[in-house]
Amino acid sequence: MKLVNLTFTKILFEKEKPTINNFNINSKLNIKNIIKEDINKKSKEPFLKVSWTYSVNYEPKIANILIEGDLTISLDEKEQKKILLTWKKKELDKDFNILILNVILRKSNIKLLQLEEDFNLPPHFTLPSVKPKE
């Protein structure tokens, strides 16, 4: 399996009020659809397009961020058929699911951190930090 492309198709950001002391951050990543994709008519290589949404909500009603996108991957025909068959039941192979979710999270979290910085919001996950030795 090979990643061909990951593109954002929608980015919505809404900040309703300034950040308060007590708030919660909820995030959710969903796979919306998986379809066969013919991106290169000359190539016999099979491709899949994975459409996804990733939302981050700062509660109570502080801010909402929604990112949507498409992930295009290349894989052998046998794998492709297996994935499309399981997707018809809205299920995914565990290894495939982990792989695509990690690819989406890697790119999306960078974009989310940029937006959070631009709009003066705390990061939606704990960033690593250095602490003194005890």
Side-chain angles (χ1 to χ4, degrees):
M1 186 175 337
K2 179 178 91 175
L3 171 66
V4 176
N5 194 18
L6 188 146
T7 56
F8 297 123
T9 56
K10 181 188 288 188
I11 298 176
L12 297 173
F13 186 98
E14 182 178 54
K15 187 171 180 182
E16 296 183 33
K17 61 184 175 185
T19 308
I20 57 176
N21 288 337
N22 295 322
F23 63 92
N24 291 317
I25 302 172
N26 301 308
S27 62
K28 188 173 185 178
L29 175 57
N30 285 325
I31 303 302
K32 290 184 351 184
N33 200 14
I34 301 175
I35 60 170
K36 190 174 181 176
E37 178 84 344
D38 294 323
I39 61 173
N40 185 348
K41 302 294 181 195
K42 295 178 184 176
S43 173
K44 300 268 189 218
E45 193 174 17
F47 297 95
L48 286 179
K49 181 170 84 171
V50 179
S51 299
W52 51 271
T53 63
Y54 187 19
S55 63
V56 176
N57 299 311
Y58 291 76
E59 298 292 337
K61 294 190 177 188
I62 298 168
N64 299 305
I65 308 169
L66 173 71
I67 297 180
E68 293 185 359
D70 295 320
L71 171 64
T72 305
I73 53 175
S74 140
L75 60 166
D76 67 55
E77 205 163 326
K78 184 180 174 184
E79 256 188 295
Q80 184 187 65
K81 285 180 182 177
K82 178 183 166 191
I83 291 165
L84 289 171
L85 273 174
T86 58
W87 181 248
K88 281 184 180 181
K89 298 180 253 176
K90 297 297 182 200
E91 297 173 1
L92 284 177
D93 171 75
K94 180 182 166 187
D95 293 334
F96 177 76
N97 193 35
I98 289 169
L99 177 75
I100 62 171
L101 292 179
N102 281 328
V103 169
I104 294 166
L105 285 170
R106 199 172 303 122
K107 188 158 183 182
S108 297
N109 282 331
I110 293 168
K111 181 59 75 179
L112 284 166
L113 287 170
Q114 291 170 334
L115 289 168
E116 291 159 347
E117 178 71 22
D118 290 346
F119 288 91
N120 199 27
L121 287 170
H124 62 285
F125 63 91
T126 305
L127 294 170
S129 62
V130 177
K131 294 183 181 178
K133 263 188 174 177
E134 291 187 18

